[in-house]
Amino acid sequence: VQLQASGGGLVQAGGSLRLSCAASTHTFSTYNLGWFRQAPGKEREFVSGVTWRDRIRYVDSVKGRFTISRDNAKNTVYLQMNSLTPEDTAVYYCAAGLDIWVVRPIPRYWGQGTLVTVSS
């Protein structure tokens, strides 16, 4: 599975961005999908995930601000990010083939990152 993320950019604090991740697979609907991020000098962390049955998990730091969704017809997973803060600045990675309910999800497939920079 190849994953192609897009949608990153520079935004002011309080603003919004929507990340997209398109997958090249005929079995997209069977995969759990997720978004991770890695801030400068920090480890990569899980942000949100959606199961193949549309069950969703968010980490506490993004609850109420970020929304994950999937469109199986378009083989695409999205991350709508609202009320962004400088602490959200990171490279964001999409992923597929993970158990979103474990403490540290480990995906089978990674996309390339897309940089999100939030200015204060």
Side-chain angles (χ1 to χ4, degrees):
V1 177
Q2 291 186 326
L3 302 167
Q4 181 74 36
S6 61
L10 174 64
V11 63
Q12 289 188 332
S16 298
L17 280 175
R18 187 176 83 153
L19 305 182
S20 301
C21 178
S24 62
T25 174
H26 296 298
T27 57
F28 180 82
S29 63
T30 68
Y31 282 98
N32 292 349
L33 306 165
W35 288 95
F36 293 70
R37 67 185 179 186
Q38 186 166 17
K42 295 188 177 181
E43 291 186 354
R44 191 174 301 186
E45 64 172 355
F46 174 78
V47 174
S48 180
V50 56
T51 71
W52 65 278
R53 288 188 171 187
D54 277 334
R55 295 183 66 194
I56 289 173
R57 176 190 172 196
Y58 299 101
V59 294
D60 288 346
S61 59
V62 307
K63 281 181 181 177
R65 302 188 300 121
F66 289 13
T67 302
I68 191 170
S69 61
R70 64 188 298 161
D71 186 336
N72 291 335
K74 295 182 178 180
N75 279 14
T76 302
V77 59
Y78 304 97
L79 186 68
Q80 176 68 44
M81 305 185 295
N82 299 329
S83 302
L84 286 162
T85 74
E87 288 69 37
D88 296 314
T89 294
V91 177
Y92 284 72
Y93 299 87
C94 58
L98 68 160
D99 181 348
I100 73 168
W101 303 112
V102 298
V103 173
R104 296 178 63 89
I106 299 175
R108 184 174 180 184
Y109 304 102
W110 288 101
Q112 96 292 359
T114 185
L115 177 62
V116 172
T117 304
V118 184
S119 63
S120 57

